[in-house]
Amino acid sequence: MSLSGWTVLALVALLVFWALGAYNRLVGLRQAIAAAWQQVHTLLRQRGDAVAPLVGALREPLAAESASLDALLSAQAQVTAAADALGARPALPELAGAMAKAEQAMTASSSRVLALLELSPALAGDERVAPHLATLKDTMTGLAFARQLFNDAAQRYDEAIAQFPTRLLTGMFGFRAAGRI
């Protein structure tokens, strides 16, 4: 084989190894998004487990606010559906957008219920309400941090697929921008 043949072979091998490394890096970053999603999903489940008993405990004392309680349950159902969909493909921007909208509805409805509980501190301290309320508040704080980790992982992934020359491979292997929650 001539020198030019060896040169072409070396260049092809170099390109193949580079493409393999770039592909593996993008897959690893996409897996980091999935790992960050698992933290969010765990906290969402914990919050969901607290919402139904909390609403059940508040039904009688806040009978006049049944619309607010129903809105909280409805928002929780939306979050659960969106979370289940996003769990299957955590890097899809459409699913992340649906999750973000569901979380906005959940934030609005839970804020209303929390405001009602602030107006009646005796009810918030009730033994049937207090543990579920504490779980709800704790998971809300944890969710803020977990969402930030998810969004940071998505940002690193998006930056990697936008880099030249890696972006030359994104279309070929189906990599596209990730969504934020």
Side-chain angles (χ1 to χ4, degrees), residues 15-97:
L15 282 174
V16 167
F17 285 121
W18 167 80
L20 184 62
Y23 177 84
N24 286 338
R25 177 173 179 241
L26 293 176
V27 168
L29 289 169
R30 194 166 52 191
Q31 289 172 342
I33 293 172
W37 170 251
Q38 287 305 314
Q39 292 177 355
V40 173
H41 196 249
T42 299
L43 288 166
L44 288 173
R45 267 186 278 147
Q46 289 174 357
R47 183 179 68 186
D49 291 344
V51 167
L54 177 64
V55 169
L58 294 175
R59 280 280 179 210
E60 186 181 320
L62 295 178
E65 295 293 336
S66 65
S68 297
L69 298 174
D70 291 340
L72 181 60
L73 287 175
S74 175
Q76 180 57 43
Q78 290 175 1
V79 166
T80 300
D84 290 344
L86 187 58
R89 302 281 310 267
L92 283 183
E94 301 85 20
L95 298 177

Side-chain angles (χ1 to χ4, degrees), residues 1 46 49 52 58 60 67 71 76 89 91 96 103-104 106 115 119 123 127 144 151 157 164 170 178:
M1 193 179 251
Q46 289 174 357
D49 291 344
L58 294 175
E60 186 181 320
Q76 180 57 43
R89 302 281 310 267
E103 271 295 306
Q104 287 173 349
M106 182 67 180
L119 293 175
L123 182 58
E127 65 186 32
N151 290 336
Y157 172 78
F164 181 83
T170 59

Side-chain angles (χ1 to χ4, degrees), residues 93-167:
E94 301 85 20
L95 298 177
M99 180 67 207
K101 285 182 183 178
E103 271 295 306
Q104 287 173 349
M106 182 67 180
T107 299
S109 61
S110 63
S111 295
R112 171 73 178 146
V113 171
L114 291 174
L116 290 169
L117 287 171
E118 283 181 17
L119 293 175
S120 55
L123 182 58
D126 184 272
E127 65 186 32
R128 296 178 312 156
V129 174
H132 305 299
L133 182 59
T135 301
L136 181 65
K137 288 180 178 181
D138 290 345
T139 56
M140 290 171 83
T141 303
L143 274 169
F145 290 110
R147 274 195 297 268
Q148 185 61 46
L149 289 174
F150 178 89
N151 290 336
D152 288 347
Q155 180 66 32
R156 284 190 300 277
Y157 172 78
D158 286 350
E159 288 170 355
I161 64 171
Q163 275 183 333
F164 181 83
T166 305
R167 73 172 160 219

